[in-house]
Amino acid sequence: MSTLGERKSALLLLSLGASDQRQLLARLPAASARTIRALMHDLRRSQLPAAELADALLGDEMRGLTARTSLDVDQLVALSTTLPHAWFARVLSVWTGVDRNFCLALLDNRVAASVREELDRIGRMPPKLADALRAESLQLVSEAMATPVAALPARGRV
Protein backbone atom coordinates (compact mmCIF):
# COMPACT_ATOMS: atom_id res chain seq x y z
CA MET A 1 0.00 0.00 0.00
CA SER A 2 1.35 3.40 -0.92
CA THR A 3 0.59 6.77 0.56
CA LEU A 4 -0.69 9.75 -1.39
CA GLY A 5 2.70 11.41 -0.88
CA GLU A 6 4.53 8.42 -2.35
CA ARG A 7 2.24 8.36 -5.37
CA LYS A 8 2.79 12.08 -5.94
CA SER A 9 6.54 11.62 -5.49
CA ALA A 10 6.61 8.83 -8.08
CA LEU A 11 4.78 11.00 -10.58
CA LEU A 12 6.99 14.02 -9.97
CA LEU A 13 10.19 11.96 -10.11
CA LEU A 14 9.20 10.63 -13.53
CA SER A 15 9.30 14.20 -14.83
CA LEU A 16 13.01 14.46 -13.91
CA GLY A 17 16.08 13.01 -15.56
CA ALA A 18 17.34 9.54 -14.59
CA SER A 19 20.33 10.89 -12.66
CA ASP A 20 18.14 13.23 -10.58
CA GLN A 21 15.73 10.37 -9.93
CA ARG A 22 18.57 8.18 -8.64
CA GLN A 23 19.97 10.93 -6.43
CA LEU A 24 16.63 11.76 -4.86
CA LEU A 25 15.61 8.13 -4.36
CA ALA A 26 18.97 7.40 -2.72
CA ARG A 27 18.21 9.98 -0.02
CA LEU A 28 14.87 8.48 0.95
CA PRO A 29 14.29 5.82 3.60
CA ALA A 30 14.70 2.39 1.97
CA ALA A 31 11.05 1.38 2.38
CA SER A 32 9.74 4.58 0.77
CA ALA A 33 12.28 4.37 -2.04
CA ARG A 34 11.20 0.77 -2.82
CA THR A 35 7.55 1.77 -2.90
CA ILE A 36 8.20 4.83 -5.08
CA ARG A 37 10.36 2.82 -7.50
CA ALA A 38 7.55 0.27 -7.87
CA LEU A 39 5.03 3.07 -8.48
CA MET A 40 7.33 4.65 -11.05
CA HIS A 41 7.65 1.31 -12.80
CA ASP A 42 3.86 0.95 -12.90
CA LEU A 43 3.48 4.48 -14.27
CA ARG A 44 6.05 3.83 -17.02
CA ARG A 45 4.22 0.67 -18.05
CA SER A 46 0.88 2.49 -18.10
CA GLN A 47 2.05 4.81 -20.91
CA LEU A 48 0.39 7.78 -19.16
CA PRO A 49 1.82 11.24 -19.96
CA ALA A 50 3.72 11.60 -16.66
CA ALA A 51 5.14 15.06 -17.39
CA GLU A 52 1.69 16.49 -18.13
CA LEU A 53 0.20 14.83 -15.05
CA ALA A 54 3.05 16.14 -12.90
CA ASP A 55 2.48 19.63 -14.27
CA ALA A 56 -1.21 19.42 -13.39
CA LEU A 57 -0.35 18.18 -9.89
CA LEU A 58 2.16 20.96 -9.33
CA GLY A 59 -0.33 23.48 -10.68
CA ASP A 60 -2.59 22.82 -7.72
CA GLU A 61 0.06 22.66 -5.02
CA MET A 62 2.47 25.37 -6.11
CA ARG A 63 0.16 28.05 -7.39
CA GLY A 64 1.51 30.55 -4.85
CA LEU A 65 5.14 29.74 -5.64
CA THR A 66 5.25 30.66 -9.29
CA ALA A 67 7.64 33.46 -10.17
CA ARG A 68 6.95 36.02 -12.86
CA THR A 69 9.89 38.32 -12.10
CA SER A 70 13.54 37.90 -12.98
CA LEU A 71 17.04 38.17 -11.59
CA ASP A 72 19.63 40.34 -13.23
CA VAL A 73 22.81 38.67 -14.49
CA ASP A 74 24.85 39.74 -11.44
CA GLN A 75 22.29 38.23 -9.06
CA LEU A 76 22.10 35.06 -11.10
CA VAL A 77 25.87 34.67 -11.20
CA ALA A 78 26.07 35.39 -7.45
CA LEU A 79 23.96 32.28 -6.89
CA SER A 80 26.79 30.25 -8.42
CA THR A 81 28.87 31.00 -5.32
CA THR A 82 26.26 29.73 -2.88
CA LEU A 83 24.63 26.81 -4.70
CA PRO A 84 26.22 23.49 -5.61
CA HIS A 85 27.20 23.47 -9.29
CA ALA A 86 24.45 20.95 -10.19
CA TRP A 87 21.76 23.13 -8.63
CA PHE A 88 23.11 26.32 -10.16
CA ALA A 89 22.89 24.58 -13.55
CA ARG A 90 19.22 23.87 -12.88
CA VAL A 91 18.62 27.49 -11.90
CA LEU A 92 20.40 28.69 -15.03
CA SER A 93 18.37 26.26 -17.14
CA VAL A 94 15.03 27.75 -16.07
CA TRP A 95 15.86 31.44 -16.64
CA THR A 96 14.66 32.33 -20.09
CA GLY A 97 15.98 35.42 -21.80
CA VAL A 98 19.42 34.95 -20.25
CA ASP A 99 22.38 34.10 -22.44
CA ARG A 100 23.77 31.01 -20.72
CA ASN A 101 27.14 31.29 -22.45
CA PHE A 102 27.50 34.86 -21.20
CA CYS A 103 26.68 33.77 -17.64
CA LEU A 104 29.10 30.85 -17.89
CA ALA A 105 31.82 33.18 -19.16
CA LEU A 106 31.48 35.20 -15.94
CA LEU A 107 32.21 32.15 -13.78
CA ASP A 108 35.51 30.65 -12.74
CA ASN A 109 36.64 28.21 -15.46
CA ARG A 110 36.33 25.17 -13.18
CA VAL A 111 32.84 26.15 -12.04
CA ALA A 112 31.77 26.99 -15.60
CA ALA A 113 32.95 23.58 -16.85
CA SER A 114 31.06 21.78 -14.09
CA VAL A 115 27.88 23.81 -14.69
CA ARG A 116 28.12 23.36 -18.47
CA GLU A 117 28.50 19.59 -18.04
CA GLU A 118 25.41 19.50 -15.83
CA LEU A 119 23.43 21.68 -18.27
CA ASP A 120 24.21 19.17 -21.01
CA ARG A 121 22.88 16.34 -18.81
CA ILE A 122 19.63 17.76 -17.52
CA GLY A 123 16.46 17.83 -19.51
CA ARG A 124 13.61 20.29 -19.67
CA MET A 125 11.73 20.71 -16.41
CA PRO A 126 7.96 20.74 -16.18
CA PRO A 127 6.76 24.38 -16.28
CA LYS A 128 5.44 24.50 -12.71
CA LEU A 129 8.64 22.94 -11.35
CA ALA A 130 10.65 25.53 -13.29
CA ASP A 131 8.44 28.27 -11.80
CA ALA A 132 9.03 26.88 -8.31
CA LEU A 133 12.80 26.83 -8.89
CA ARG A 134 12.71 30.44 -10.11
CA ALA A 135 10.69 31.45 -7.04
CA GLU A 136 13.17 29.72 -4.73
CA SER A 137 16.07 31.44 -6.52
CA LEU A 138 14.42 34.82 -6.07
CA GLN A 139 13.92 34.03 -2.39
CA LEU A 140 17.61 33.08 -1.97
CA VAL A 141 18.72 36.34 -3.59
CA SER A 142 16.24 38.33 -1.50
CA GLU A 143 17.52 36.72 1.71
CA ALA A 144 21.14 37.34 0.71
CA MET A 145 20.40 41.02 0.06
CA ALA A 146 18.69 41.32 3.45
CA THR A 147 21.70 39.91 5.33
CA PRO A 148 23.44 42.71 7.24
CA VAL A 149 27.08 43.31 6.32
CA ALA A 150 28.21 42.53 9.89
CA ALA A 151 26.74 39.03 9.52
CA LEU A 152 28.69 38.26 6.35
CA PRO A 153 32.00 36.36 6.58
CA ALA A 154 35.08 38.54 7.04
CA ARG A 155 36.76 37.08 3.95
CA GLY A 156 37.16 39.67 1.25
CA ARG A 157 36.38 42.71 3.43
CA VAL A 158 38.86 45.61 3.39
Side-chain angles (χ1 to χ4, degrees):
M1 184 87 179
S2 60
T3 66
L4 178 60
E6 289 169 331
R7 291 189 299 274
K8 287 180 180 181
S9 295
L11 182 58
L12 295 173
L13 280 171
L14 279 177
S15 70
L16 301 176
S19 176
D20 290 332
Q21 291 174 10
R22 284 190 300 276
Q23 287 178 7
L24 291 169
L25 285 166
R27 294 178 182 222
L28 293 174
S32 290
R34 272 191 306 276
T35 302
I36 291 171
R37 279 188 186 96
L39 291 166
M40 290 171 66
H41 177 74
D42 292 344
L43 281 168
R44 280 189 199 102
R45 283 188 313 154
S46 74
Q47 304 286 323
L48 291 171
E52 292 164 19
L53 294 171
D55 186 42
L57 175 67
L58 283 169
D60 290 339
E61 295 192 359
M62 297 188 150
R63 194 172 312 278
L65 295 178
T66 58
R68 299 290 179 232
T69 57
S70 186
L71 297 174
D72 64 34
V73 173
D74 290 333
Q75 292 170 319
L76 188 59
V77 171
L79 284 175
S80 73
T81 64
T82 59
L83 295 174
H85 301 165
W87 278 105
F88 179 70
R90 283 159 181 76
V91 168
L92 191 55
S93 76
V94 301
W95 288 105
T96 56
V98 172
D99 184 338
R100 290 182 190 165
N101 290 324
F102 179 75
C103 288
L104 290 171
L106 297 174
L107 303 178
D108 173 76
N109 288 339
R110 183 185 56 80
V111 174
S114 178
V115 170
R116 182 173 279 113
E117 182 179 311
E118 192 66 24
L119 280 168
D120 291 341
R121 263 185 3 82
I122 59 178
R124 185 176 173 275
M125 288 189 200
K128 298 295 184 199
L129 188 56
D131 282 348
L133 186 53
R134 283 190 290 272
E136 183 65 21
S137 301
L138 287 166
Q139 183 64 35
L140 288 172
V141 168
S142 174
E143 289 170 3
M145 290 172 41
T147 303
V149 174
L152 295 175
R155 186 184 79 186
R157 274 201 245 155
V158 179

